[in-house]
Amino acid sequence: MSVAVWLGAAPPHRSIRWLDGALATAAKFDNATAIAAGDQTWLDLAADRANRANLPSIGVVTELKLDYLGWAQIVAGAMRYLEATTLLVDEVSRPERFPEVAAIADQLDAVQLTRIVALAPDGSVVHASRVSGRELQTIRVRGPAVIGIRIAGPPIDEYPTPIPSSAMKRLDLPALGLDPLVLGHRALPPRSNPQTKKSVDRIVEHLSIHRAPRRP
């Protein structure tokens, strides 16, 4: 079984413990590899945390800001590059991680599981514990799968600022068989910054609503 873990395309919104938990879970498997994408600063952090978990890592360097369907294409390309069959996804660190599980599974034609709180390899089978309401389900997984996990690492007060690391193998989009121009169609629209109206403009606008219409 060849396993990879997707760390996402940006630093965690929540505690870095979830990132560490995903890496520690992947480390239970033989020959697991961490995958990250995005700008150099984030890739340095991802490489640092992967090194601490004794996992090799690859980073897809891109300045694109994509929706979850765009990132799913990049992850699928990285999985094919690694010839990996099972992918773990840290689905807690950022809100977009959760929908990425389904999108990546669709790209890879693999089964998907979410809300996994415990995972244990057993030869060609993976034993997964999943939270469903108030119940804890135990599932045996065989074959290609994309598994969203919610497993935290140990508490940490702070972590050192990562430095550029040569341990992470950097790849560009063409190396994964992806065209940046085509993938750019999945880019998120830029946030609009409407100009704030001046006080006098707001007053005039308010009065115009309540002003009686002129008679012809």
Side-chain angles (χ1 to χ4, degrees):
M1 180 185 299
S2 180
V3 175
V5 54
W6 168 234
L7 304 180
H13 275 166
R14 302 178 64 178
S15 170
I16 202 169
R17 289 180 60 193
W18 300 101
L19 192 71
D20 289 347
L23 289 163
T25 303
K28 296 179 179 179
F29 297 82
D30 295 333
N31 303 318
T33 303
I35 303 171
D39 60 34
Q40 292 288 356
T41 302
W42 156 236
L43 294 183
D44 288 338
L45 173 58
D48 178 70
R49 305 318 292 182
N51 285 341
R52 292 172 183 269
N54 296 316
L55 285 181
S57 57
I58 64 171
V60 183
V61 183
T62 177
E63 297 295 330
L64 292 174
K65 307 299 181 183
L66 306 174
D67 61 13
Y68 71 96
L69 295 172
W71 293 121
Q73 293 181 50
I74 289 179
V75 181
M79 289 288 285
R80 297 185 185 103
Y81 176 87
L82 294 170
E83 298 182 348
T85 57
T86 298
L87 179 70
L88 312 184
V89 178
D90 164 26
E91 69 174 16
V92 182
S93 288
R94 295 178 67 92
E96 62 267 26
R97 290 290 87 76
F98 186 77
E100 282 177 2
V101 174
I104 297 168
D106 184 65
Q107 288 282 327
L108 297 174
D109 194 23
V111 301
Q112 59 168 303
L113 290 172
T114 58
R115 303 181 184 275
I116 300 300
V117 295
L119 208 62
D122 183 13
S124 60
V125 178
V126 177
H127 299 275
S129 297
R130 180 179 186 272
V131 173
S132 178
R134 295 184 177 181
E135 297 182 356
L136 185 64
Q137 302 173 337
T138 300
I139 303 169
R140 291 163 57 90
V141 184
R142 295 179 182 271
V146 179
I147 304 173
I149 60 175
R150 302 183 173 206
I151 303 172
I156 55 174
D157 295 328
E158 59 181 327
Y159 53 91
T161 302
I163 60 175
S165 171
S166 60
M168 172 178 275
K169 183 175 183 179
R170 259 67 167 186
L171 301 170
D172 57 14
L173 294 176
L176 302 180
L178 298 172
D179 186 334
L181 295 178
V182 175
L183 196 60
H185 289 263
R186 300 296 338 168
L188 294 172
R191 293 183 178 180
S192 59
N193 294 314
Q195 294 183 349
T196 304
K197 294 182 179 180
K198 297 180 180 179
S199 297
V200 65
D201 294 329
R202 292 200 300 269
I203 294 172
V204 171
E205 186 179 76
H206 176 75
L207 292 176
S208 67
I209 297 174
H210 299 282
R211 185 180 60 184
R214 291 181 178 181
R215 294 183 178 180

